C-alpha cells in the first residue's frame, strides 16, 4: 500500500464493472499526493457504450470528477486527447 507515485489508466475504467472498488484500490496503492491519470471516451463527443461491447460505463469530464472526488481524489482540469473520441483527466490522491 502507498507505494506507487502514479497510475496511468488509459481506456481501462470504462471496462471495470465495479468502479468504486477499482478506484479505492488505486487510491490505496498510491502514495499521498500520488497521481491518477485517466483517459476514457468522452460521452459528450461519442456514445461510449455502443463504441465497444466491452464498455460497462460511459463518462464525461463532469461525471468522472463526481465519481472520483468522494473516493479521495482531487481533480485537475480535463483535456482533450486530441483524437476526437477521448479526454484525459489527472487526479491527485487527497488525504484531507
Amino acid at each position: 500500500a502507498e507505494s506507487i507515485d502514479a497510475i496511468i489508466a488509459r481506456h481501462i475504467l470504462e471496462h471495470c464493472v465495479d468502479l468504486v472498488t477499482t478506484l479505492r484500490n488505486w487510491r490505496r496503492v498510491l502514495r499521498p499526493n500520488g497521481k491518477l491519470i485517466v483517459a476514457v471516451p468522452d460521452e459528450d463527443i461519442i456514445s461510449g457504450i455502443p463504441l465497444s461491447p466491452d464498455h460497462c460505463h460511459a463518462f464525461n469530464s463532469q461525471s468522472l470528477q463526481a465519481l472520483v472526488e468522494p473516493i479521495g481524489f482531487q481533480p485537475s482540469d480535463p483535456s482533450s486527447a486530441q483524437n476526437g473520441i477521448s479526454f484525459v483527466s489527472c487526479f491527485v490522491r487527497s488525504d484531507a
Side-chain angles (χ1 to χ4, degrees):
E2 297 186 349
S3 61
I4 304 213
D5 292 322
I7 294 172
I8 300 171
R10 185 178 172 272
H11 293 279
I12 293 172
L13 200 57
E14 66 270 21
H15 297 272
C16 297
V17 174
D18 186 345
L19 296 173
V20 172
T21 298
T22 299
L23 289 163
R24 283 182 177 160
N25 282 327
W26 288 350
R27 185 183 183 284
R28 180 181 54 80
V29 299
L30 279 173
R31 290 186 175 139
N33 296 314
K35 292 187 179 179
L36 172 61
I37 301 163
V38 177
V40 291
D42 188 341
E43 193 66 13
D44 289 341
I45 296 173
I46 191 164
S47 184
I49 300 293
L51 184 66
S52 168
D54 297 331
H55 287 184
C56 301
H57 303 281
F59 306 96
N60 63 25
S61 60
Q62 295 83 16
S63 68
L64 183 60
Q65 181 174 330
L67 173 66
V68 302
E69 280 184 326
I71 294 170
F73 290 101
Q74 293 298 314
S76 66
D77 292 329
S79 63
S80 169
Q82 303 297 319
N83 63 9
I85 295 173
S86 306
F87 70 91
V88 178
S89 286
C90 181
F91 303 95
V92 176
R93 178 186 156 169
S94 168
D95 290 315

